[in-house]
Amino acid sequence: MGAPVHGALLLFLLLLAGPAAAEDAAPQEPTLPAAGAGAGSGGGAAVGVNSNSVLVALLDSHYTELAELVEKALLLQTLEDAVGRHNVTIFAPRNEALERDLDPEFKRFLLEPRNLKSLQALLLYHVLPARLPSDSWPAASHPTLSGEEVELAAAAAGADGAAGMRVGHAAVTRPDAVLRPDGVIHGIERLLVPRSVQEDFNRRRSLAAISAVLPTGAPEVDPRTHRLKKPAPPVPPGAPPVLPIWDAMAPGPSIAPAPAPGPSSGKHHFDGHSQVKDFIQTLLLYGGYNELADILVNLTSLATEMGRLVSEGYVLTVLAPNDEAMARLTTDQLSEPGSPENILYYHMIPEYQTEESMYNAVRRFGKVRYDTLRLPHKVVAREADGSVKFGQGEGSAYLFDPDIYTDGRISVQGIDAVLFPPGDKNATQTADPHRKPPAITTHKKIKLRRGKLLEASCQMADLFGQRLRFVSCQD
């Protein structure tokens, strides 16, 4: 029985050592992870990148500007996943193309936090999901990781007989600059800009390039009627009066605004779109109201609607919440369809009001209700701490920056909170609980009354000729 047992044990040991010996005998070649690698165990865990990866070579190469942009764009994990799924080809612009040759305005646009998507799309436009060395360079368009296609072409042979390579409008200056098993890096002469990023930049620049801040020769406004003043024609000396005596003695026009032409009347008496652009540019240059300007132009079409209303003869007063108030809005308040429009409609009054006219009204009547474009809701204004206060309770707002823009048709008054109609389900406190009321302006100064003891002291000082030396005794 000993011989069969010994033979069976020897056969078992040979079977265990066979696969290991075969692996030692076979030559080792670099293998790349398959498209589904990493998904077999661990429920789809991400594939790690080894030290010989093309992504590691990019971060350690002399293309430091591109590597820095990749880190700023938060694309390291995305590129790691791409390298784990397939080979890649990276087009790396030289550092000078990103430092000195790039338009400063375009570079500033890419580095703004709100344009992160554009920066990511631009960088992914430089990465192809395939390994394309110079010896297998195709002459056709190829998809990129950004979703857009880039044109690859082979230029005519140069003086040295070597054929050139082009990608888009850029020449490949250093083909096969970095070669790795999972990818290749080609050095190019300039940055590649996809069409989507160029369109985003043009949209931003069209808003920033709006010319005038305040229209030159802005019309004068009659403070009594809040209407435009028409310049009177010059009257030669000795000429009869322009108006008959009875017309001159008649009372002035009513404070109520004249009826304006209705929508779709086809009559455009004013250039409303230019005035809206001027007031939005004024918000940007004034500072602290960028969020409101962004919502008017990019998030909604309210800027176009306001321009149409002003062109048809309407006047508007905009209660503009500052950036601190807009930052306190929650995502739920802005996520519902039509929520940004409804919020801003409640801040638009179809009247022309200045800070002085509103303050005089609340001082005289105590509480004033103004119609808004969010029918049938009205905004309530009252006098508080020498200023105008809108709303009620914790959702109230002070008139914080008076007369930011006034041109006779559009008036913009800055407030420090976002207003909501009473009973609105989205109403929350958007005002700073530790805020202080704005300082009292010159036309609101209140003369303080002196006490009897101080008045007697001032009279005694007056007897000795020392009254003017005391500030408290000066009227």
Side-chain angles (χ1 to χ4, degrees):
M1 294 296 292
V5 171
H6 179 72
L9 179 62
L10 181 60
L11 179 61
F12 179 75
L13 293 176
L14 289 176
L15 290 175
L16 289 179
E23 289 181 2
D24 293 338
Q28 296 291 332
E29 294 184 1
T31 58
L32 298 179
S41 61
V47 178
V49 175
N50 57 31
S51 59
N52 197 31
S53 171
V54 67
L55 181 57
V56 177
L58 171 65
L59 298 179
D60 294 338
S61 66
H62 61 276
Y63 297 106
T64 56
E65 289 293 325
L66 180 63
E68 183 178 353
L69 285 179
V70 169
E71 294 181 359
K72 288 183 178 180
L74 308 178
L75 285 178
L76 288 178
Q77 186 61 44
T78 303
L79 294 179
E80 285 184 12
D81 296 341
V83 172
R85 289 192 300 268
H86 41 63
N87 300 337
V88 296
T89 299
I90 301 176
F91 301 112
R94 54 194 178 90
N95 290 336
E96 293 78 6
L98 298 177
E99 287 179 348
R100 294 191 296 267
D101 300 344
L102 193 61
D103 182 13
E105 187 178 355
F106 183 65
K107 188 173 183 179
R108 193 182 313 115
F109 162 80
L110 292 176
L111 297 180
E112 289 181 357
R114 62 178 178 177
N115 301 325
L116 178 62
K117 295 293 184 182
S118 298
L119 178 59
Q120 292 176 343
L122 180 136
L123 294 177
L124 294 178
Y125 189 68
H126 292 71
V127 184
L128 306 183
R131 189 175 188 272
L132 299 178
S134 59
D135 54 0
S136 59
W137 186 261
S141 59
H142 201 285
T144 64
L145 291 186
S146 67
E148 302 183 50
E149 292 189 352
V150 64
E151 188 71 22
L152 305 180
D160 55 355
M165 299 160 52
R166 298 191 66 85
V167 49
H169 298 287
V172 179
T173 56
R174 297 189 61 185
D176 301 335
V178 176
L179 288 173
R180 290 293 185 271
D182 58 352
V184 59
I185 298 178
H186 299 297
I188 57 177
E189 62 177 350
R190 68 178 68 178
L191 189 70
L192 304 176
V193 182
R195 181 182 297 274
S196 61
V197 176
Q198 186 65 47
E199 291 176 353
D200 291 343
F201 174 62
N202 291 337
R203 280 195 295 267
R204 292 285 183 182
R205 187 168 54 180
S206 63
L207 175 61
I210 297 173
S211 54
V213 175
L214 186 66
T216 57
E220 297 183 11
V221 180
D222 189 348
R224 183 170 60 91
T225 62
H226 302 297
R227 292 185 180 180
L228 297 178
K229 283 185 177 180
K230 294 183 179 180
V235 179
V242 178
L243 295 177
I245 186 64
W246 297 109
D247 291 343
M249 293 177 60
S254 173
I255 295 182
S264 304
S265 63
K267 299 179 180 179
H268 296 83
H269 305 284
F270 303 94
D271 188 3
H273 295 285
S274 297
Q275 290 179 276
V276 170
K277 287 183 179 180
D278 289 339
F279 114 73
I280 292 176
Q281 180 67 10
T282 303
L283 285 180
L284 296 176
L285 297 181
Y286 191 89
Y289 295 89
N290 296 336
E291 294 295 332
L292 177 63
D294 188 57
I295 291 178
L296 288 173
V297 176
N298 297 322
L299 190 58
T300 66
S301 60
L302 289 179
T304 304
E305 296 180 16
M306 292 173 62
R308 188 180 299 114
L309 287 175
V310 175
S311 297
E312 293 178 352
Y314 290 98
V315 293
L316 291 174
T317 298
V318 181
L319 304 179
N322 56 22
D323 288 345
E324 295 180 1
M326 299 294 290
R328 285 187 284 270
L329 289 174
T330 62
T331 305
D332 296 337
Q333 292 172 322
L334 296 174
S335 59
E336 295 184 5
S339 293
E341 289 85 351
N342 289 332
I343 292 175
L344 294 187
Y345 280 147
Y346 190 64
H347 292 74
M348 296 182 186
I349 301 174
E351 304 176 21
Y352 186 84
Q353 296 287 343
T354 62
E355 185 259 352
E356 183 177 1
S357 66
M358 287 190 289
Y359 182 78
N360 291 338
V362 296
R363 281 296 300 271
R364 179 177 180 183
F365 301 107
K367 184 182 293 185
V368 180
R369 296 178 180 271
Y370 293 103
D371 293 326
T372 65
L373 294 186
R374 186 177 177 181
L375 299 175
H377 299 289
K378 297 185 179 183
V379 62
V380 180
R382 63 184 184 277
E383 194 272 339
D385 302 317
S387 178
V388 182
K389 192 174 184 180
F390 301 93
Q392 297 176 352
E394 295 181 350
S396 59
Y398 281 99
L399 200 161
F400 198 74
D401 290 322
D403 296 339
I404 296 177
Y405 180 85
T406 52
D407 67 350
R409 307 300 301 175
I410 301 175
S411 172
V412 182
Q413 308 295 327
I415 57 178
D416 60 352
V418 179
L419 300 173
F420 290 93
D424 194 322
K425 63 177 182 179
N426 292 327
T428 57
Q429 182 179 356
T430 59
D432 186 359
H434 306 291
R435 61 178 173 170
K436 297 180 180 179
I440 301 175
T441 54
T442 54
H443 72 278
K444 306 173 191 173
K445 289 182 179 178
I446 301 174
K447 184 177 180 181
L448 300 177
R449 181 179 179 183
R450 294 192 291 262
K452 293 184 178 180
L453 181 59
L454 182 58
E455 187 66 32
S457 301
C458 292
Q459 292 178 1
M460 292 295 294
D462 193 18
L463 293 176
F464 294 99
Q466 302 294 326
R467 182 184 182 94
L468 296 178
R469 294 184 60 184
F470 300 95
V471 178
S472 299
C473 296
Q474 299 177 10
D475 294 331

